[in-house]
Amino acid sequence: MGLAIKTYSFTKEERLKSRKIIETLFREGKAFSVFPYRVVYMPVDNPIAPYPVQAGFSVSTKRFPHAVDRNRVKRLTRECYRLQKGELYEQLRAQQPNGHLAVFFIYTDKKIAPFTTLQHKISLILKKLAKEALAAS
């Protein structure tokens, strides 16, 4: 691995933006819930991508009619993910050096949870994701 990853960054290449991958993810991916998130994930064949995980984030317009609130929840979630993704990356690289995951976080609560709560939940999600992704391989 010739690529040195900045520990606490969330670059453009790590964001899940491909419509084709997102559609396939929701059609064929596996899912689990850790309140207040629903997580959909799927292994993908993307040998070009330098990062082992591409992540997307979503908040329901129905539950948060104001864009300000939706953006706040997504910002908090991305920040929690950005600070904790390193452990997931290490586990994935150790077990499957060429394995890649597409992951989508969907916020399902009706209220904006505090940052510490979201941080704990994202931590639980990443541990479960590492375990399930490694079990699937």
Side-chain angles (χ1 to χ4, degrees):
M1 302 280 148
L3 181 71
I5 296 176
K6 290 184 218 161
T7 312
Y8 296 115
S9 64
F10 187 57
T11 63
K12 188 176 178 180
E13 291 85 18
E14 292 176 90
R15 296 174 192 264
L16 183 58
K17 295 181 290 186
S18 166
R19 183 168 294 216
K20 189 186 291 185
I21 293 176
I22 292 171
E23 287 174 0
T24 308
L25 177 64
F26 282 102
R27 202 174 334 105
E28 301 170 10
K30 296 178 184 170
F32 63 88
S33 292
V34 175
F35 188 80
Y37 292 102
R38 176 135 181 89
V39 181
V40 182
Y41 69 97
M42 176 182 80
V44 290
D45 297 324
N46 196 359
I48 304 163
Y51 299 98
V53 179
Q54 284 190 314
F57 304 89
S58 175
V59 180
S60 169
T61 307
K62 184 178 176 183
R63 295 181 193 269
F64 292 97
H66 301 291
V68 171
D69 297 328
R70 289 193 303 275
N71 293 339
R72 170 109 178 116
V73 172
K74 286 190 280 190
R75 196 177 310 115
L76 288 170
T77 305
R78 277 195 305 266
E79 182 69 4
C80 294
Y81 174 78
R82 181 185 73 82
L83 293 172
Q84 300 180 46
K85 68 180 181 184
E87 189 176 323
L88 174 65
Y89 278 22
E90 288 173 16
Q91 290 178 344
L92 287 175
R93 284 180 195 259
Q95 295 294 338
Q96 25 176 271
N98 295 326
H100 292 277
L101 273 182
V103 181
F104 216 88
F105 296 86
I106 304 164
Y107 191 81
T108 58
D109 198 2
K110 291 183 174 99
K111 297 185 297 269
I112 300 175
F115 181 74
T116 52
T117 305
L118 296 180
Q119 212 169 11
H120 175 68
K121 297 299 183 173
I122 292 290
S123 173
L124 294 174
I125 288 169
L126 294 180
K127 287 176 185 159
K128 186 169 183 171
L129 197 56
K131 190 169 39 170
E132 290 193 18
L134 296 177
S137 63

